[in-house]
Structure formats: C-alpha cells, structure tokens
Amino acid sequence: MNRINQKLQEDKNLLSIYFTAGYPKLEDTVSIIQNLEKSGVDMIEIGLPFSDPLADGPTIQASSTQALKNGMTTKLLFEQLKDIRKTVNIPLIIMGYFNPMLQYGVEAFCKKCQEIGVDGLIIPDLPVDEFHEKYKTIFEKYGLINVFLITPQTSDERIKYVDSISNGFIYMVSSASVTGSQSGFGSEQTDYFKRIADMNLKNPQIVGFGISNTKTFTQATKHTKGAIIGSAFIKHLTENGVDTIGEFAKKILE
Amino acid sequence: MNYNTNEKGYYGEFGGAYIPEMLYPNVEELRQNYLKIMEEPSFQKEFNQLLKDYVGRPSPLYFAKRLSEKYKTKIYLKREDLNHTGAHKINNTIGQILMAKRLGKSRIIAETGAGQHGVATATVCALMGLECIVYMGEIDIARQAPNVARMKMLGATVVPALSGSRTLKDATNEAIRDWINNPVDTYYIIGSVVGPHPYPDMVARFQAIISEEIKWQLNEHEDRENPDVVIACVGGGSNAAGAYYHYLDNLEVKLIAVEAAGLGIDSGESAATSVLGKEGIIHGSKTLLMQTEDGQITEPYSISAGLDYPGVGPLHAHLFETKRAEFVSVTDDEAMKAGIELCELEGIIPAIESAHALAIFEKQTFKPEEVVILNLSGRGDKDLNTYIDYFGL
C-alpha cells in the first residue's frame, strides 16, 4: 500500500509540513526531510521551486526565488533524493507547478518519483479534467497519488467529482487566498470544514493555507484528518535555520 | 484547419485553462457566460455605441502614399493609434468592463507592462464608476512615469509588483493572486489574448472589430474585401488577433506576425517567442514561451515595453505551428529606424510596438499591385522619452 494511504489509516490527526527544496541552502533538502521525520511530523511536501508560483504568497515565493538562485532544478532534486528511502520512511509528496514537470516529461517525472520512493504529487495548476483525460493512467502506472485542491467556493457537485477521482486525500484550501495570508480561522472557515466533513467523502481531507500554530492546527483538524503547514515553517527556517526543526514541530503538536 | 478555439479553449494543441482550483469558480463563470452575454442585443448595442462615441471608431484605413511609393507596393495603415487612449487596447477594456458589469462585479483588477492596458482599464473604470486596481512591475513603474500618473488621474490605484523580475509577467502573477484572494466581487480584465480560456478567445472577439472594419473600408478603397497581406506586431498578440480575426479562414490572405528580437535573436536580450520559445504553460495557458530547460520562465527583453512578454497568446502559437502566419523578428534598431521613417514620410509618430511591424518593409518585398494592410496599433506619444534617448533628439 502507498505510504500516504497507510498513514491516513492511523487513528490520529496528521501534521504535514511543506518546505521548498533548495532553501535556505541548496543542500538542505535531505537534512530537512530527516529532521522532520525525527520530530514526529506525519507527512512531507517537498516544494519543487518555480519562477512564477501563482498560488503562493510572498513567503513561499521568496523561498522559491532563493532556491532557484541557489541552483535548484528538477534533475538536481531527484539527484538529492535518490537515496532518501535508505534513511526515512515518512510519506513524501512533491508539490510543484506543472510547467517544470511538463518540460521534464510527465511520464519520466512520474517514473523517477516511483524509483525514488515519492508517494504522491500536488500540482495546483493542473486542472482536474486535464489530469483525468491525459495523465491519470500514467500516475497509476507508477503508483502515485495525485492530490487535488478544493476551496470554500468549490461547488458540492465539483467536490464530489474531485472525490471520485482522488485516491489519497483531498487538499482543502482553508479560505480564498494564496498561501501564507491568514492569521487565524473565523467561523466562516470552521463552518466550511464542518460542511465538507458532513459530505462524508470517501477521501479524508487535509487542510492547508492559514495553519501556523497549535491553535490553527487544532481548529483545522477538529473536523478533518490533518493539516499542512507551509509558510510558517519556511519563516521558521529563514529565522532559525534547519537545526531547530524539532522544536517547531514539537510546538505545533503540543 | 480550424483557427478558432474548441469548447475547451484549445487552438490545436495550445490554450486550455491551467489554473489553480481557487480560480476555477471565477473562470468557469466567465466561460459559461461570455458568449451568451456578448450575443445579447443590449450588450452589442452598448459596446458598439461606446466604440463609436467614446473610442472614436471606426478608426480610419489610411492609404500611406509616400510609404507605398518608397516600398513600391500598396500600403494601408489601420489607424488604431487614433483611438481614445492611443491604442487598440481600449477595444478590449470597453468590452470587458461591460462583461464585468453584467456579471455583477464591482471591483476591477488589471495588469500592465508599459501602462497602456492599465490606462485603458483605468479609463473604462472611471467611465463606469468602478473601483480599479492596476498591478505594475516596480521597474516598469519607474520607467513609465507618465502612464502611472495617467492611471492615478483616472482614479486607479497602482500597486507595484515586487516579486520576481518586477515587470509585466510578475504584474500578471500579482493580478492573478489578487483574484485568488478576492474571488467574489472582483473581475480581472486581462490586456491581451493570453491567460486561461476563455480570455484568449474573448479578447480576440473584442479586438475583432479591427478586421471587421478593414473589410468594408477596403471595399470602399479598392473594391475588394480581402487584402493580400495583413501585418501586425505580436507581444501577447491582441492587436494581431484583431487584425487577423476575420481573415483567419481565408487562406488567400497572408498573415505576418512581427516579434521583437530586442538586441538580436542570439543576444540573450530578446522577446522573439516563436524562435526562442517552446511549448509550456504561462499564466494559465499552454502556449509557446521562453523558458529554461528546467521549465523556469525567463525574462524577455525589447526596447518596446508592449512586446516585452515571455509568451505569446495560444492562437498565435497555433498560427505559428500550423504556418498559417509567417513570424518575422525585428531588432530594436530596425524598429526605431522604421518608426522615424513613418514620422518623416507620413507625419505619424508610431508606438514602438507598431514600429516593429513597420520594419517589415526593409526585410521583405511586396509586389506593386499587392494590397498590404499594416495594423498601426498605437501612437508614439508614450514612447517620446525612448525616441529622445535613442536618437539624441
């Protein structure tokens, strides 16, 4: 079974952490993954940096720009990850925009992910329909889970459609926003979490965007399976470096 | 061969809507409604009335006698430079502001490079009394001060794009992010035939007034509807889309697209997308774009801010791939020389974008009996500083 599906069966709320590959330093990728696993995090999203990240706010944008300046590329990321499964067992997801994957070749990209032991992909600008028509069979061939996003504006009908073609979890964007722009959840968000929970979808939901501390993590996971932290973790890396990753995760999970 | 979009927004292999889910409801609302709204008689009436009374259409089709004598062919200039706000851009913003109103939106956002689309958007927002926010790269704000002032005078808020290379592509990213953050009340007026479906098709349809007029105007001049050649410059490609639109399926009409070569195709400082680009995704559309081997979008260069875009609309990628249009690139120097030549021969100061199209006559020979139409997309007032610096005037 795919590591993501195994993890989703555990009877607990999951903490997933996003970081940008090649940030703060080009060679930090492996050590960040190892430290995150050690600190008790449940899942990791490895951000493949892109020059024009449309869905990201300033924090993740800046980390992507820096990672590219540091010299990060798709090929290099795969090179850095080639022995990752010798040291970690945590589910790994690559999150990136579609153009770099398209240039690498979608099939070659998926094949490489399987070789390395990457479990899934999140591609915010690859539309559901396009995936369904052109790429679903390739993802399946290489045992990859593709994760789709829904937002408070997504219609029930479309949510059901997304649920029907998902095979892992649904990435629930907490509010209409780019990453890193929220400071807390109001009733509007918690109502939305509950509304989706009440739909009894076959795929569990994990909330992303706007989770930065224990409070928002607890709010987000009250009605869902887990939550993803991105910008707040990048900020932590910027300010404290990679050595204090354990403290960051511990504080959230307290 | 079909040169229009299919229902999914593809021109052949190009187009589509590669957008994050956060944008889906807005883009889908537009996709479901744009054709219906454009076909409504009340929309048609209001659009045409504004084009006539406010923009000053029809723009003249002018026989350029001295230019024709010099190049020994029959050259007509489609005078989009005479439109209100000085370029073809306003045809599209008039159309889209009426679209926004019918969709019940109260807040308008736009991106701009040189500021022409920003001014055209601020203008129609003032006309309709709607809030207007224009995203503009920090670097462009510094080098296009008069247009920034114009937008402010027209009541728009100009927000600097501080990310990436701080030019047009980043301003577009910021506008898209704004739309993600404001999904209910906001309408995004894109300035060219780029972006996710239905934008390329919708913008082309609003600009199609250009070739619609050329047909009857040419009939008056030459007793024929079809020219032999239509020439236009291409950045994103909206003026070209408008000038080609009603001739796309008429294969006897040769289409020439002029791109900006900047300092030269191989100089590393160029914006000639058809030569330097390959298939990829930019701003929600699959098209030809300039990028690294790794799929990172690269920064183009042209002396003309309006042609300084790393991609090209999906229609043009399709016209290039199918060889329906011939793509030619023109350097900064060639364009500037052609710009001055039009001043001297015809008493018209062209925008530097349009001057790129004019440079074709030094590169290609047309027959004396051929009727050649060149879309003069804008006037050169905005480029005065560039002309002054370049020629030491």
Side-chain angles (χ1 to χ4, degrees):
Chain A
M1 189 194 274
N2 186 298
R3 290 179 200 86
I4 297 171
N5 294 121
Q6 273 175 26
K7 181 57 84 174
L8 289 165
Q9 287 180 357
E10 289 181 16
D11 185 22
K12 62 183 280 208
N13 288 326
L14 305 182
L15 171 62
S16 181
I17 297 278
Y18 168 94
F19 77 99
T20 305
Y23 179 86
K25 298 212 184 64
L26 186 60
E27 299 299 333
D28 285 337
T29 313
V30 170
S31 104
I32 290 176
I33 292 171
Q34 289 169 339
N35 276 302
L36 283 171
E37 181 176 52
K38 234 181 282 171
S39 68
V41 165
D42 298 294
M43 204 150 46
I44 299 174
E45 290 169 31
I46 305 164
L48 178 63
F50 182 49
S51 55
D52 296 73
L54 291 180
D56 287 300
T59 306
I60 292 180
Q61 273 178 60
S63 70
S64 300
T65 306
Q66 186 59 46
L68 292 172
K69 264 190 209 151
N70 291 346
M72 184 47 76
T73 64
T74 309
K75 275 185 194 144
L76 181 61
L77 177 61
F78 286 148
E79 183 60 30
Q80 289 180 344
L81 293 178
K82 73 176 194 300
D83 294 324
I84 196 71
R85 283 302 172 200
K86 289 182 181 160
T87 55
V88 303
N89 194 39
I90 189 169
L92 295 174
I93 297 173
I94 291 184
M95 181 164 187
Y97 290 82
F98 193 41
N99 197 48
M101 296 178 196
L102 202 57
Q103 301 312 318
Y104 192 91
V106 175
E107 173 134 21
F109 193 98
C110 291
K111 187 161 181 272
K112 201 78 193 170
C113 285
Q114 188 191 40
E115 281 168 25
I116 289 166
V118 168
D119 306 292
L121 296 172
I122 304 175
I123 313 163
D125 60 343
L126 176 60
V128 188
D129 287 328
E130 196 80 15
F131 170 78
H132 197 55
E133 273 172 38
K134 295 187 188 158
Y135 303 112
K136 191 165 183 276
T137 51
I138 300 176
F139 276 55
E140 282 169 358
K141 182 173 166 191
Y142 296 102
L144 292 168
I145 281 176
N146 191 36
V147 178
F148 296 105
L149 277 56
I150 61 168
T151 81
Q153 273 73 39
T154 309
S155 68
D156 284 1
E157 187 192 355
R158 190 165 167 83
I159 291 173
K160 284 176 192 156
Y161 172 51
V162 165
D163 190 42
S164 74
I165 63 165
S166 296
N167 55 354
F169 64 92
I170 292 174
Y171 190 132
M172 207 162 126
V173 176
S174 66
S175 60
S177 69
V178 293
T179 54
S181 50
Q182 297 283 309
S183 56
F185 293 132
S187 60
E188 204 180 312
Q189 271 105 24
T190 47
D191 288 352
Y192 157 63
F193 300 156
K194 185 156 186 326
R195 173 167 70 85
I196 305 303
D198 289 344
M199 286 179 77
N200 292 315
L201 303 174
K202 78 174 163 84
N203 292 277
Q205 302 94 54
I206 297 190
V207 182
F209 293 44
I211 294 112
S212 58
N213 51 30
T214 313
K215 188 179 165 214
T216 40
F217 179 75
T218 311
Q219 281 180 321
T221 51
K222 190 176 169 205
H223 299 288
T224 66
K225 183 65 189 165
I228 304 162
I229 299 183
S231 299
F233 181 67
I234 301 282
K235 263 184 209 148
H236 178 85
L237 285 178
T238 308
E239 287 159 14
N240 306 295
V242 296
D243 299 334
T244 57
I245 286 174
E247 293 163 34
F248 179 85
K250 213 190 287 168
K251 239 198 296 180
I252 305 289
L253 293 170
E254 247 164 24
Chain B
M1 187 64 68
N2 184 8
Y3 299 103
N4 280 308
T5 50
N6 65 21
E7 79 280 9
K8 289 188 172 164
Y10 279 90
Y11 299 89
E13 286 296 301
F14 301 106
Y18 293 82
I19 47 168
E21 187 61 31
M22 294 80 104
L23 287 178
Y24 180 83
N26 271 329
V27 172
E28 182 62 12
E29 179 187 30
L30 189 60
R31 188 188 71 80
Q32 284 182 4
N33 290 295
Y34 81 109
L35 289 176
K36 217 166 26 187
I37 290 175
M38 285 177 76
E39 282 160 11
E40 281 169 12
S42 68
F43 182 95
Q44 287 286 325
K45 191 174 170 222
E46 198 175 356
F47 182 56
N48 290 327
Q49 195 77 43
L50 283 169
L51 288 183
K52 176 170 175 280
D53 297 337
Y54 189 71
V55 175
R57 301 202 73 93
S59 68
L61 185 69
Y62 164 71
F63 177 63
K65 186 161 173 284
R66 295 187 67 209
L67 197 67
S68 298
E69 276 166 9
K70 170 151 189 201
Y71 291 105
K72 302 188 172 56
T73 188
K74 282 179 138 173
I75 302 170
Y76 284 88
L77 302 177
K78 179 60 174 165
R79 300 291 308 276
E80 292 300 298
D81 61 313
L82 293 175
N83 291 341
H84 180 41
T85 72
H88 70 290
K89 291 285 184 191
I90 191 125
N91 303 328
N92 169 46
T93 59
I94 293 268
Q96 286 202 56
I97 199 84
L98 296 178
M99 184 67 62
K101 277 185 69 178
R102 276 163 177 76
L103 291 171
K105 307 288 181 177
S106 57
R107 181 175 174 273
I108 302 297
I109 57 172
E111 86 295 338
T112 196
Q116 290 306 104
H117 174 59
V119 168
T121 303
T123 299
V124 296
C125 286
L127 180 68
M128 298 294 166
L130 292 177
E131 184 187 0
C132 179
I133 295 107
V134 179
Y135 289 89
M136 187 169 185
E138 193 182 30
I139 289 177
D140 290 333
I141 286 181
R143 62 185 179 188
Q144 305 288 341
N147 271 344
V148 176
R150 281 187 188 104
M151 287 184 268
K152 288 181 177 167
M153 289 172 72
L154 294 160
T157 306
V158 180
V159 181
L162 305 172
S163 61
S165 51
R166 293 170 290 150
T167 57
L168 175 58
K169 96 177 160 68
D170 310 286
T172 309
N173 292 340
E174 291 302 330
I176 292 173
R177 289 185 186 113
D178 180 308
W179 211 17
I180 288 174
N181 286 320
N182 298 283
V184 180
D185 63 342
T186 299
Y187 181 93
Y188 178 19
I189 299 190
I190 294 184
S192 191
V193 285
V194 301
H197 177 65
Y199 278 102
D201 183 47
M202 180 174 65
V203 176
R205 285 168 187 265
F206 286 138
Q207 292 294 359
I209 184 72
I210 298 172
S211 47
E212 190 185 315
E213 287 173 3
I214 292 173
K215 281 195 146 184
W216 64 258
Q217 288 171 320
L218 194 63
N219 218 355
E220 286 182 1
H221 283 284
E222 295 281 342
D223 206 18
R224 56 190 272 193
E225 276 195 346
N226 298 334
D228 295 294
V229 186
V230 178
I231 301 164
C233 61
V234 172
S238 68
N239 93 79
Y244 298 164
Y245 196 87
H246 290 285
Y247 296 118
L248 286 170
D249 295 324
N250 190 336
L251 302 182
E252 282 162 21
V253 180
K254 185 178 178 186
L255 308 176
I256 299 179
V258 182
E259 292 184 305
L263 301 182
I265 294 286
D266 300 320
S267 66
E269 298 289 333
S270 179
T273 308
S274 72
V275 186
L276 299 169
K278 49 183 183 160
E279 192 177 314
I281 289 159
I282 182 169
H283 299 139
S285 180
K286 186 183 272 184
T287 186
L288 295 171
L289 65 128
M290 291 165 59
Q291 54 185 317
T292 66
E293 196 195 333
D294 197 41
Q296 309 296 340
I297 298 170
T298 52
E299 197 52 29
Y301 163 80
S302 165
I303 193 167
S304 149
L307 303 181
D308 200 354
Y309 183 70
V312 64
L315 164 65
H316 296 296
H318 183 54
L319 296 179
F320 175 74
E321 288 288 338
T322 58
K323 300 190 163 59
R324 172 67 187 95
E326 179 186 355
F327 280 66
V328 177
S329 39
V330 159
T331 63
D332 287 359
D333 290 341
E334 291 165 338
M336 295 306 281
K337 196 168 153 243
I340 283 291
E341 183 177 81
L342 191 72
C343 300
E344 290 169 356
L345 288 179
E346 299 288 348
I348 298 169
I349 302 174
I352 297 172
E353 289 80 6
S354 320
H356 279 74
L358 288 160
I360 190 80
F361 297 115
E362 285 290 338
K363 301 179 87 87
Q364 284 196 13
T365 309
F366 300 95
K367 293 184 191 129
E369 69 279 11
E370 278 187 309
V371 171
V372 177
I373 290 188
L374 186 141
N375 197 34
L376 198 70
S377 55
R379 69 177 89 123
D381 306 38
K382 70 180 174 68
D383 295 317
L384 216 49
N385 278 333
T386 312
Y387 278 119
I388 289 167
D389 291 347
Y390 187 88
F391 291 106
L393 301 169

